[in-house]
Amino acid sequence: MALNKQQQMAVDTLDGPVLLLAGAGSGKTRVIIHRIANMIRHGIEPRHILAVTFTNKAAKEMKERVGELLTSRQAEEVTVSTFHAFCLNVLKRYIHRLGYGKRFSIATEGYQKGLIREIATELKLTGENCDPYLWLSRISLAKANLEGPDAMEGKDWPRAADVARVYRRYQVRLKQMDLVDFDDLLCLVVRLWEECPDILASYQDTYRYLMVDEYQDTNYVQLRLMALLAGKAANICVVGDDDQSIYGWRGANLGNILEFERFFPGAKTIRLEQNYRSTNTILKAANALIAKNENRKSKTLWSEQGEGEKIYAVRCEDERAEAMFAADYMLDNVRDNKWGNFAVLFRAGHQSRILEEVFRTRRVPYVLVGANSFFQRKEVLDAVSFLRVVANPRDDLAFKQIVNVPPRGVGDASMDAMRGMQTLIHVPLMELIARTDFLEKIPSETAADLNVFHAQMKKAYDAFQTPGDLCDKTKALLEGVGYLDGLVRMYKPRTDAMKRRDNVMEFLSTLAEFDESHGRNATLGDFLEQFDLQDANDRRQDNKKETGEAVTLMTVHASKGLEFQTVFVVGLEQGLFPHQTALDEGNLEEERRLCYVALTRARERLLLSYAERRRVAAQVVAKRPSKFLDEIPEDLIEFTTPAKVIRPASAEVVQDMFAKMREMLG
């Protein structure tokens, strides 16, 4: 398919800063890969091109599609990466310039929470307004804005000074253990480039042409990274849609795209407004809705897909009636068992419960996207923690996760003894448990168990020094420390223990697959990096969704970037969508952008529903329809009820059915 006029303009504009405003369904990925190919046709060496996106899945897809337009050598030399993977590679080469050890590890979210909780306890920060998990979120937001503990002290937050104390100690403790968190991956590269201009100059010389996908989702530290790397030449093209900026709550800065011309003077703006996904009825509704936002760059989506069907706004008695309507509509309209053509989107995760109940009763196959990730299960995280300690014996957080699983008698008294001695002699806990002067301070039985534990971990450390056979080595480690057999002692009933053991076996399967793909070069460090860099989207195992065997249930946030033939958006009520928190905080524009994302997921049919009453905890509460429904033009939407949408078979249909039966009977 040929590029349209605006797409071709974007592909042909190679030098200087470019803002590519790519509306929903406008073929932005196609533009990116054709632009990369065009650069190479114009003599730009592939090794000088860097394309950055947010997820491993998106980076992999982009790399594969670039490969279809280039030779294999050219495609290999183009760097397509996520922000975090790119920065990880920078730090692997140069983190020692910032005082870290070269064998640093990444602290996952579970580790971060554990460390923050431990620090809060040490500082005796308990009671009202003391929420370590909230504090971790605020520290993350501070890092997204390149703010240190001192800046946090001046925030208008409850106990801001205490949060700053936790933040300060948190960073010290991470560095002591040669750990960095996900935010540090980006912040430390900014610091490295600012403090070491020679390193920055070498990267500027290597990456002379930059492309950034999903630019509306970037935060300040990501803007700073790209501004530093672009340098004076500023050959940077960013691709995004301010109308789909829905991650402000996790640090995304809408100003990055709205004020692109201020950050990169002389920038050229190109709008991609032709949509290749939806009917014009859906697009007109979405355009009218988002036009109510004042803080945006104007654009109007249009399509050659025809006008299409009217949008239904369906009034239901309550949340159960709403779920039954969705299920019955699908049963009435599914063709050739293609359940994957349907998706149900909702504003809040808790809405899935009633949908799941009804869908199971109605025998509608479904997959709930993004819930209960396999990789977040306790037994899988335990297995990973064993591997983390083997990879980095200085990782005290991982050590604490597994030192007493299965139970080795390491209770509070033994842990206090560890912490006390560590304060005096400053050695990692893994090293500490091998010292005679420590073992003499704890019960002899515990000391004996720790001796065996240390010996098995040392044996595993030695084994993993040689690449390859990660699955076999990990299984030997888990058997050696007694973890696999210990699951039966740790979890009751036995059926639960067996399910957990099966999950560990499945985890070993992922290692076997890694061995198979990497051969004799497979290293533990590489596996852990791949594990850590996976995001929630990459971890989903939605095989049913991929093969079209099930309806997709998901939050609107999770649906971004996807499309379906028929989309239900449920719960369009004031206080739910838009959410009450947004109403209270006056943040209606991001809620409207979220609704815009929901509408533009639909290709052919869009059904919006709301309940007259909904159960909230123990009470049934009367609800009002969402104001977003009123913002869709009347000629595009039909307000109705389930009974009018799901009609019984007509007389003609019944007669036709009997005629076919008579033919079959002769």
Side-chain angles (χ1 to χ4, degrees):
M1 183 173 64
L3 297 170
N4 65 43
K5 182 180 177 181
Q6 295 303 105
Q7 289 175 331
Q8 191 64 56
M9 185 187 302
V11 167
D12 291 338
T13 307
L14 302 182
D15 296 318
V18 179
L19 170 58
L20 187 55
L21 286 173
S26 60
K28 67 181 178 66
T29 304
R30 189 161 180 265
V31 171
I32 292 171
I33 62 173
H34 278 272
R35 191 172 186 273
I36 291 172
N38 198 35
M39 287 181 188
I40 295 170
R41 282 195 294 268
H42 281 76
I44 297 169
E45 295 185 33
R47 65 188 181 89
H48 291 320
I49 300 171
L50 169 66
V52 185
T53 187
F54 276 84
T55 69
N56 292 325
K57 182 179 179 181
K60 182 174 182 291
E61 178 189 353
M62 194 181 298
K63 187 81 171 177
E64 290 173 350
R65 292 181 64 177
V66 165
E68 295 172 0
L69 301 180
L70 306 173
T71 67
S72 57
R73 182 191 64 80
Q74 290 172 331
E76 187 62 33
E77 289 184 2
V78 174
T79 301
V80 182
S81 177
T82 64
F83 279 100
H84 289 91
F86 177 78
C87 289
L88 174 63
N89 285 329
V90 174
L91 294 178
K92 284 166 70 174
R93 295 181 64 187
Y94 295 110
I95 197 170
H96 62 283
R97 297 278 289 268
L98 299 175
Y100 287 79
K102 286 189 174 182
R103 295 188 60 174
F104 69 95
S105 300
I106 300 172
T108 59
E109 184 179 354
Y111 284 17
Q112 293 173 265
K113 288 179 177 179
L115 181 55
I116 291 289
R117 189 170 58 245
E118 184 176 299
I119 291 170
T121 301
E122 291 171 0
L123 295 175
K124 296 181 171 55
L125 297 176
T126 58
E128 188 177 0
N129 293 323
C130 284
D131 183 347
Y133 296 162
L134 175 62
W135 291 355
L136 179 60
S137 173
R138 286 178 170 167
I139 290 170
S140 180
L141 288 174
K143 290 185 179 184
N145 290 305
L146 287 175
E147 296 175 341
D150 291 343
M152 186 171 281
E153 287 183 348
K155 298 288 184 183
D156 185 23
W157 293 339
R159 307 188 71 154
D162 288 334
V163 184
R165 290 171 63 202
V166 172
Y167 183 5
R168 201 171 281 113
R169 185 171 293 195
Y170 171 71
Q171 288 303 112
V172 170
R173 293 283 290 279
L174 284 178
K175 190 170 183 181
Q176 286 174 342
M177 293 185 288
D178 275 336
L179 288 172
V180 299
D181 63 23
F182 271 75
D183 298 306
D184 287 333
L185 290 176
L186 278 58
C187 294
L188 289 176
V189 172
V190 169
R191 181 180 150 201
L192 176 74
W193 285 349
E194 289 178 340
E195 294 180 4
C196 306
D198 58 318
I199 298 176
L200 173 60
S202 71
Y203 277 92
Q204 288 174 334
D205 184 57
T206 300
Y207 300 109
R208 302 176 187 178
Y209 288 83
L210 314 179
M211 297 194 70
V212 185
D213 192 18
E214 301 288 3
Y215 192 68
Q216 76 282 344
D217 295 335
T218 56
N219 55 31
Y220 178 69
V221 68
Q222 289 161 335
L223 165 65
R224 184 67 183 144
L225 276 168
M226 292 297 104
L228 285 169
L229 190 55
K232 293 181 179 178
N235 292 321
I236 179 170
C237 174
V238 304
V239 186
D241 181 8
D242 53 302
D243 290 335
Q244 296 187 74
S245 180
I246 59 174
Y247 295 118
W249 51 276
R250 69 182 190 194
N253 188 343
L254 183 61
N256 287 0
I257 192 167
L258 293 182
E259 302 178 56
F260 182 77
E261 296 89 342
R262 179 169 70 85
F263 298 121
F264 297 95
K268 182 175 184 177
T269 300
I270 301 171
R271 286 171 167 79
L272 300 184
E273 297 175 301
Q274 182 175 354
N275 176 283
Y276 293 91
R277 174 189 300 159
S278 307
T279 65
N280 279 299
T281 294
I282 293 170
L283 296 179
K284 288 176 183 177
N287 288 334
L289 176 79
I290 202 65
K292 300 292 184 182
N293 275 6
E294 296 179 2
N295 199 23
R296 66 184 291 261
K297 288 180 177 288
S298 64
K299 68 187 76 67
T300 303
L301 297 184
W302 61 277
S303 168
E304 293 181 346
Q305 309 297 317
E307 290 306 301
E309 300 179 13
K310 263 194 173 185
I311 298 166
Y312 283 127
V314 183
R315 184 184 78 251
C316 303
E317 292 182 5
D318 55 24
E319 67 270 29
R320 183 169 293 276
E322 182 180 53
M324 291 171 65
F325 159 66
D328 289 345
Y329 181 91
M330 293 175 196
L331 288 164
D332 197 38
N333 288 274
V334 69
R335 298 291 180 269
D336 301 322
N337 217 37
K338 292 183 178 179
W339 296 99
N341 287 335
F342 299 97
V344 183
L345 310 183
F346 36 85
R347 175 64 181 84
H350 65 79
Q351 291 174 258
S352 71
R353 181 189 63 82
I354 193 69
L355 288 163
E356 290 189 83
E357 284 183 13
V358 170
F359 279 28
R360 282 196 293 266
T361 302
R362 286 284 201 270
R363 298 188 181 279
V364 173
Y366 71 88
V367 57
L368 178 61
V369 170
N372 298 324
S373 168
F374 172 83
F375 294 93
Q376 294 301 310
R377 293 171 184 170
K378 173 69 167 60
E379 57 274 14
V380 175
L381 293 176
D382 283 345
V384 173
S385 293
F386 280 108
L387 294 178
R388 291 192 193 285
V389 176
V390 170
N392 178 11
R394 295 171 57 88
D395 190 340
D396 286 351
L397 279 177
F399 174 90
K400 292 174 186 176
Q401 293 269 6
I402 47 89
V403 67
N404 205 40
V405 291
R408 298 184 181 87
V410 183
D412 292 341
S414 296
M415 290 304 300
D416 288 341
M418 281 189 205
R419 282 191 286 264
M421 182 167 281
Q422 188 183 44
T423 302
L424 296 174
I425 62 177
H426 304 291
V427 299
L429 295 177
M430 193 65 206
E431 180 180 332
L432 183 66
I433 64 171
R435 294 175 62 103
T436 304
D437 51 352
F438 165 71
L439 294 174
E440 290 174 349
K441 295 179 179 292
I442 61 176
S444 58
E445 189 174 340
T446 301
D449 285 343
L450 286 178
N451 255 327
V452 173
F453 173 69
H454 183 272
Q456 290 294 333
M457 295 297 287
K458 177 65 168 63
K459 180 180 178 182
Y461 177 86
D462 293 338
F464 277 103
Q465 297 307 299
T466 304
D469 297 326
L470 301 188
C471 177
D472 291 342
K473 292 172 183 174
T474 302
K475 186 177 182 184
L477 165 62
L478 297 178
E479 288 174 343
V481 297
Y483 186 73
L484 291 178
D485 292 337
L487 287 168
V488 177
R489 300 200 307 275
M490 289 187 288
Y491 298 104
K492 306 294 180 185
R494 182 178 174 80
T495 52
D496 182 34
M498 291 300 101
K499 286 180 182 177
R500 292 175 185 270
R501 194 178 194 280
D502 288 343
N503 288 336
V504 176
M505 293 297 108
E506 184 64 23
F507 173 70
L508 291 174
S509 296
T510 67
L511 282 156
E513 292 169 4
F514 190 85
D515 280 331
E516 189 174 319
S517 62
H518 289 71
R520 303 304 305 176
N521 296 319
T523 69
L524 179 57
D526 288 340
F527 174 79
L528 290 174
E529 283 177 12
Q530 176 177 292
F531 183 92
D532 289 335
L533 287 171
Q534 289 184 107
D535 61 287
N537 290 326
D538 297 319
R539 291 174 181 169
R540 294 204 305 258
Q541 303 295 310
D542 298 340
N543 295 326
K544 285 187 176 180
K545 178 170 70 68
E546 295 297 334
T547 57
E549 295 175 4
V551 176
T552 300
L553 306 183
M554 66 196 325
T555 64
V556 181
H557 280 102
S559 74
K560 189 166 169 287
L562 303 177
E563 59 183 75
F564 303 89
Q565 184 185 86
T566 302
V567 169
F568 291 78
V569 186
V570 300
L572 274 161
E573 301 142 25
Q574 286 295 100
L576 186 53
F577 200 0
H579 199 275
Q580 190 61 47
T581 302
L583 293 172
D584 293 342
E585 296 176 353
N587 192 20
L588 191 61
E589 291 210 349
E590 179 151 328
E591 286 292 295
R592 189 175 283 112
R593 291 194 294 270
L594 191 60
C595 190
Y596 174 84
V597 167
L599 302 189
T600 53
R601 299 312 94 197
R603 292 199 299 265
E604 297 179 13
R605 297 185 190 90
L606 178 61
L607 298 100
L608 314 176
S609 63
Y610 57 98
E612 294 181 309
R613 55 184 180 274
R614 188 175 293 270
R615 183 173 293 279
V616 180
Q619 293 184 319
V620 175
V621 181
K623 306 294 290 185
R624 288 185 295 124
S626 169
K627 68 174 296 174
F628 295 152
L629 293 171
D630 294 330
E631 294 175 354
I632 297 175
E634 291 182 5
D635 61 323
L636 303 175
I637 189 168
E638 179 180 337
F639 286 82
T640 184
T641 61
K644 294 179 180 179
V645 177
I646 306 171
R647 297 182 177 89
S650 65
E652 291 81 4
V653 172
V654 174
Q655 290 174 3
D656 184 56
M657 181 179 67
F658 278 112
K660 288 181 179 179
M661 289 177 64
R662 282 194 295 270
E663 287 179 13
M664 292 174 62
L665 294 172

